[in-house]
Amino acid sequence: MGNETVPTAEYRASKKKRRNIPLLPYLFLLPALLLFFTFDYLPIFSAFYYSFTEYHILSPAEWVGWENYRALMQDTKFWIAVSNSLTYFLIIVPLLLTVPLFLAILVNQKLRGIQLFRVVYYLPVVTSMVAVAIVWKYLYHPAGLLNAVLQGIGLQKEAVNWLLNPDTALPAVAVLEVWKSLGFYMVIYLAGLQTISQELVEAAKMDGAGRVRVLWHVYLPQLRPTIAVILVLSTLASVQMFTSIYIMTGGGPFDSTLTLPLYIYQKAFVELDMGYATAMGMVLWLILMVLTIINFKLSNGGRVG
């Protein structure tokens, strides 16, 4: 009894304070948390459940276990869609990592009228993808502007139907996606460039570094967090391509431009096979998670240095 310590007044007050957790902040957060759960997590849980069912909307869902996933492994069209989605990724992501950087360096110059160039480069971003895809579909037409220009400068003798040729349809759509997104990623790079100290750039130039060495040893290390963000965003965008393909090719010719999101749409809203479509949706989610983690590891978590 003599060795027991008597709690001090400060200790008792702090213990009482820990017990009295304020509920008011959580009450204010409750509506947002309910909305977040209803429109974010609940659909995810529902999709996970329906991926194990045979569900055709008009009839009740029937539990079939792993049947949808087994069918996916034997679905040739599914593997074509996965292959095409990864091909889009390999074309689009490297271009969106490099071209917008040079555009950002260009428009970061303190020149007269540079604001106009920034607006012009960003205009495609705020233009509807449906409208852009329709215009580019006519540009790619055998009698369109692209063939007229290439024939006019002597690069080709005959008109090419870019969107009906299995060898050119996928790259043609990928070029449209890159052009449409250049301004968006340019602005992200521009924000990163404006955080770089000009003293570092001037010091490198005084040491005799040329433009290439300044870019490699000053700009790129300082832009690592920006590059990490662009890498993740461009990866997600390239694997989830839908609108441009739906408008321009519909997945053809011969499924050469078919992507996983478009195939999911066809199964869900054309064939009304919701169970099979949600199984593909879960696979798409898994692919996106894997690519995001790989990008995060390759970019060192976006840390500088």
Side-chain angles (χ1 to χ4, degrees):
M1 294 293 292
N3 294 331
E4 292 182 359
T5 58
V6 179
T8 63
E10 291 82 0
Y11 175 79
R12 289 195 298 271
S14 63
K15 189 174 181 181
K16 184 178 179 181
K17 187 176 181 181
R18 285 197 297 269
R19 285 201 301 266
N20 297 331
I21 300 174
L23 296 178
L24 187 60
Y26 296 97
L27 290 176
F28 281 112
L29 285 172
L30 185 59
L33 292 175
L34 287 175
L35 289 172
F36 191 72
F37 176 80
T38 303
F39 294 103
D40 198 342
Y41 284 103
L42 189 59
I44 294 174
F45 296 145
S46 299
F48 184 73
Y49 166 75
Y50 284 118
S51 69
F52 293 97
T53 66
E54 184 176 351
Y55 181 39
H56 295 276
I57 299 182
L58 300 178
S59 58
E62 296 183 10
W63 183 266
V64 294
W66 293 95
E67 285 303 315
N68 288 327
Y69 292 96
R70 292 194 188 99
L72 281 180
M73 297 301 103
Q74 301 172 0
D75 189 349
T76 304
K77 198 170 182 178
F78 166 75
W79 288 111
I80 291 174
V82 171
S83 175
N84 289 340
S85 294
L86 294 178
T87 303
Y88 281 118
F89 164 77
L90 293 175
I91 295 174
I92 292 173
V93 172
L95 290 175
L96 290 180
L97 279 175
T98 53
V99 179
L101 173 59
F102 293 106
L103 289 178
I105 294 174
L106 177 64
V107 301
N108 195 39
Q109 307 298 317
K110 294 181 180 179
L111 301 175
R112 187 176 180 180
I114 200 66
Q115 295 292 341
L116 176 62
F117 285 96
R118 294 179 183 178
V119 172
V120 169
Y121 285 131
Y122 197 76
L123 273 178
V125 179
V126 297
T127 307
S128 167
M129 174 56 89
V130 174
V132 169
I134 292 173
V135 171
W136 276 68
K137 187 175 182 179
Y138 284 105
L139 288 177
Y140 283 134
H141 193 272
L145 181 62
L146 179 60
N147 280 306
V149 171
L150 292 177
Q151 287 177 308
I153 60 178
L155 289 181
Q156 66 183 37
K157 295 180 180 179
E158 298 180 356
V160 177
N161 200 330
W162 300 92
L163 297 179
L164 288 181
N165 187 335
D167 296 327
T168 59
L170 190 149
V173 178
V175 168
L176 162 62
E177 288 283 341
V178 172
W179 175 84
K180 178 81 166 58
S181 305
L182 282 178
F184 176 73
Y185 295 105
M186 179 199 72
V187 169
I188 298 177
Y189 270 126
L190 186 60
L193 286 172
Q194 293 180 349
T195 63
I196 297 176
S197 172
Q198 289 301 310
E199 295 179 357
L200 293 175
V201 178
E202 295 299 329
K205 290 180 179 179
M206 290 179 64
D207 288 340
R211 293 182 179 180
V212 175
R213 296 189 65 182
V214 169
L215 173 65
W216 189 259
H217 294 288
V218 179
Y219 285 149
L220 291 183
Q222 297 297 315
L223 287 173
R224 178 169 286 181
T226 305
I227 293 172
V229 171
I230 291 176
L231 194 57
V232 172
L233 292 178
S234 59
T235 296
L236 297 177
S238 64
V239 179
Q240 296 183 92
M241 283 176 56
F242 174 81
T243 306
S244 58
I245 302 169
Y246 180 78
I247 296 295
M248 298 177 73
T249 65
F254 307 111
D255 297 328
S256 61
T257 60
L258 181 69
T259 58
L260 201 47
L262 182 59
Y263 191 34
I264 292 172
Y265 166 82
Q266 291 175 351
K267 280 292 181 181
F269 299 105
V270 177
E271 302 179 23
L272 301 181
D273 192 350
M274 288 292 180
Y276 195 75
T278 51
M280 283 194 289
M282 300 308 297
V283 173
L284 176 61
W285 173 80
L286 182 62
I287 292 172
L288 291 173
M289 286 294 294
V290 170
L291 290 176
T292 302
I293 292 172
I294 291 174
N295 288 339
F296 190 78
K297 293 293 184 181
L298 291 176
S299 63
N300 195 26
R303 292 189 292 270
V304 178

